[in-house]
Amino acid sequence: MSQRTETRPTDPDAEYCVIVPTIREWECVREYVANAREHDFDTDRLHFVLVTEDFCDTAAMREMLAELGVSGRVFDGEAREAWFADRGLGAYDHLVPAASHAQTSFGLLYLWAEGYEFGVFLDDDTRPHEETDFFGTHARNLAAGGELPAYASDEQWVNVLGQEVDDHGLYPRGYPYSAMDEERTETTVDVERGSVVASQGLWTNVPDLDAVRILMDGDLQGQAETRTTADDYGEDFLAARGNYLTVCSMNLAFRREIVPAFYQFPMDDNPWDVGRFDDIWSGLLLKRAADLLDRRIYNGDPLCRHDKAPRSTFGDLTNEVPGLELNEHVWEVIDDAEPETIPTDTTAAYRAVAGAVADALADGSFDDWENGEFLNYCGEYLRDWLDCLAALDGADGRPVTARDATAAATDD
C-alpha cells in the first residue's frame, strides 16, 4: 500500500498540491479528506505532501495516506536531501532551513517540479469547519471575479482581523506595531476573473498572534485568552493596491504562477536566530508582485479552526525578538523595489519582481536596524531561490515532470 501511495504523484489528474508541515498532528489530513468527500470535492484532485523530520514516524504517515486512498508523498530531512541530490540540485538544499516552519519552501519546489497548477498550505494544528466545503471554497475564491470589497488604510496596512477590532483589539502576527490604530476605508473594485492568485482562509478559536501580543492578552501558554469565532468575520475582502497585509500559511490556497515570488524566507536556522516571519515576509513579496502584476489576494472564507497546542509564550518571544525591528521596515524595502521592466510572460514577470526585491535586500545597507545584515542574507537566499527554480525548468521554461511523462504515455 505504501508503494502505491508513493507512485501516485505521476497521476496527471491531481490539480492541487496540499503541503502540510508536520511533526505532531499529521492525522489532521483525515479531517480534511473527510471534509472534501462530505462536500463532494473529488479527492483525486488532491495530492498531499507531508514535510516532516527524520525523527517522525514517516511509515505511519504513508500508511495513513494509503488508508485514505489519496495521492501523497512524505519527505523527512533525509528524503528532502535525496530529492535535491537526484535532480542535481544539492547546491540549493540550504534554501530549506532545518527544523523550521519555513520548510514549506520545499513543498513549493516539489509543486513546481511536478507541475501542479494550484497549491494549498495547511498547518497540522488546524481543522476544517464541518459545514464548509473547504477545498471547494478555496477553488471558488481563486476563480472569483466581479465586484469585491477592498480595504485600505492610512498606514498602508490592512488588519485581516480588523472587522471587529473595536471589540477584540487583535492584530495578527507580523502586523507592524507602527501601523496600528489605522484608519480603514472600504471601496469596491471590479476584479477580472483569474486575477485572484491567493485565497487566505482565516481562523477561529486561537488567533494567529505574535508573542508580545499574546503576553499583552494575558496568556503564558503561547495561545491567547481572546478567542475568535465565525461571528468575528464579515464579508470576504481584498487588500487594496498599495496596501500590505499579513499572509499566514496555515490556511492558504494559491496559483502556481506565484511560486517565484513566494519563497518562505529562511528562518530559525540562521546566524541571527531570526524566526517566525517566514510566511509573513513571503506574503509581503507576494503582495508587491500582485500589485505590480494586476493580481489579487482574497481573504476570509473558508475559515479553519486553529487548535494551537500550549507552549511557552516566552519561547516564541525568543524566536521573534531578533526580527521585530526588521519587521517594522522590511515591507518598506519591498515596497520600494521595482523591476526595470515587467515581462508579459507570467512566470517571467513574477521572477522579475522577486529579482528586484532580492537585489534590494541583498545589496541594501540596513545598519540602522537590529540584525539588519539578516536582510542581506535573505536577499541572497531569494536570488538562490530563483536560480533553483530556473534549474528545475525545462527548455520551454516549464519543468519537465514525471506527470508529463505519464500524461504522454496515456495519450499514446
Side-chain angles (χ1 to χ4, degrees):
M1 295 179 71
S2 296
Q3 183 179 6
R4 171 178 176 269
T5 302
E6 289 291 285
T7 57
R8 285 192 66 187
T10 58
D11 181 354
D13 294 332
E15 305 165 69
Y16 293 84
C17 185
V18 184
I19 301 159
V20 187
T22 181
I23 59 172
R24 297 184 186 89
E25 300 291 337
W26 57 81
E27 295 280 337
C28 71
V29 172
R30 293 187 185 275
E31 294 192 39
Y32 282 101
V33 170
N35 177 276
R37 288 172 173 153
E38 177 66 24
H39 293 278
D40 296 324
F41 189 94
D42 186 358
T43 56
D44 283 347
R45 300 172 68 187
L46 305 174
H47 174 73
F48 289 85
V49 173
L50 277 57
V51 184
T52 188
E53 301 294 344
D54 291 338
F55 59 79
C56 293
D57 192 346
T58 55
M61 296 180 192
R62 294 186 182 95
E63 289 171 5
M64 176 190 67
L65 296 173
E67 289 172 7
L68 291 171
V70 295
S71 170
R73 295 288 300 273
V74 179
F75 288 95
D76 58 13
E78 184 178 354
R80 290 193 295 275
E81 184 178 348
W83 187 90
F84 279 103
D86 289 347
R87 287 157 182 78
L89 299 175
Y92 297 107
D93 62 4
H94 65 283
L95 290 169
V96 181
S100 172
H101 186 270
Q103 288 174 341
T104 46
S105 284
F106 176 79
L108 295 178
L109 290 176
Y110 179 92
L111 176 155
W112 190 260
E114 293 297 332
Y116 291 97
E117 291 302 320
F118 303 97
V120 180
F121 279 152
L122 297 177
D123 276 6
D124 68 358
D125 59 359
T126 67
R127 300 294 186 274
H129 286 223
E130 292 181 2
E131 68 277 9
T132 301
D133 178 2
F134 182 84
F135 293 106
T137 302
H138 272 309
R140 287 190 292 274
N141 293 348
L142 291 172
E147 292 190 346
L148 294 171
Y151 296 155
S153 87
D154 57 342
E155 298 287 352
Q156 284 186 263
W157 271 84
V158 172
N159 178 3
V160 298
L161 299 175
Q163 290 169 320
E164 298 296 331
V165 69
D166 291 341
D167 293 333
H168 55 56
L170 297 178
Y171 285 86
R173 175 179 56 90
Y175 193 100
Y177 287 90
S178 57
M180 293 173 62
D181 300 319
E182 74 284 4
E183 291 292 331
R184 191 179 75 178
T185 57
E186 180 180 345
T187 58
T188 300
V189 297
D190 191 13
V191 175
E192 181 180 358
R193 192 171 301 278
S195 66
V196 173
V197 294
S199 167
Q200 178 173 213
L202 301 176
W203 344 277
T204 60
N205 195 25
V206 181
D208 183 34
L209 309 180
D210 67 25
V212 173
R213 291 181 170 107
I214 293 172
L215 288 172
M216 292 172 64
D217 196 47
D219 187 275
L220 301 182
Q221 299 300 310
Q223 300 177 323
E225 292 296 317
T226 303
R227 301 298 174 94
T228 56
T229 70
D231 293 337
D232 290 310
Y233 302 100
E235 61 187 356
D236 297 347
F237 62 93
L238 313 173
R241 299 202 189 288
N243 284 253
Y244 289 87
L245 76 165
T246 56
V247 175
C248 172
S249 64
M250 77 169 73
N251 174 11
L252 185 78
F254 52 91
R255 294 181 184 274
R256 168 195 182 79
E257 68 184 62
I258 73 170
V259 168
F262 203 45
Y263 175 55
Q264 307 295 292
F265 281 87
M267 299 289 152
D268 304 301
D269 183 23
N270 61 73
W272 300 268
D273 295 324
V274 179
R276 302 267 293 162
F277 294 102
D278 49 313
D279 50 354
I280 300 301
W281 292 2
S282 73
L284 300 176
L285 171 53
L286 172 59
K287 186 56 165 66
R288 179 63 174 151
D291 284 356
L292 289 174
L293 305 181
D294 198 26
R295 302 294 194 268
R296 300 287 185 171
I297 300 175
Y298 190 108
N299 307 276
D301 283 333
L303 302 176
C304 71
R305 189 180 77 248
H306 183 207
D307 298 332
K308 185 180 180 183
R311 66 192 191 205
S312 170
T313 307
F314 294 101
D316 280 350
L317 183 62
T318 298
N319 291 330
E320 292 168 7
V321 163
L324 281 178
E325 184 175 11
L326 297 180
N327 189 61
E328 295 294 312
H329 301 288
V330 65
W331 72 273
E332 298 168 331
V333 178
I334 292 172
D335 190 57
D336 286 340
E338 187 163 2
E340 294 183 5
T341 59
I342 298 179
T344 56
D345 174 76
T346 302
T347 298
Y350 278 96
R351 289 185 194 275
V353 178
V357 170
D359 292 345
L361 293 173
D363 301 333
S365 177
F366 310 108
D367 293 341
D368 292 339
W369 304 333
E370 185 73 19
N371 295 325
E373 301 92 342
F374 179 64
L375 294 187
N376 301 131
Y377 178 90
C378 287
E380 293 294 348
Y381 271 57
L382 183 54
R383 284 171 170 170
D384 289 349
W385 174 255
L386 296 173
D387 289 345
C388 184
L389 292 176
L392 282 169
D393 285 351
D396 63 352
R398 179 186 175 88
V400 177
T401 72
R403 286 156 53 84
D404 295 328
T406 299
T410 302
D411 292 341
D412 291 344

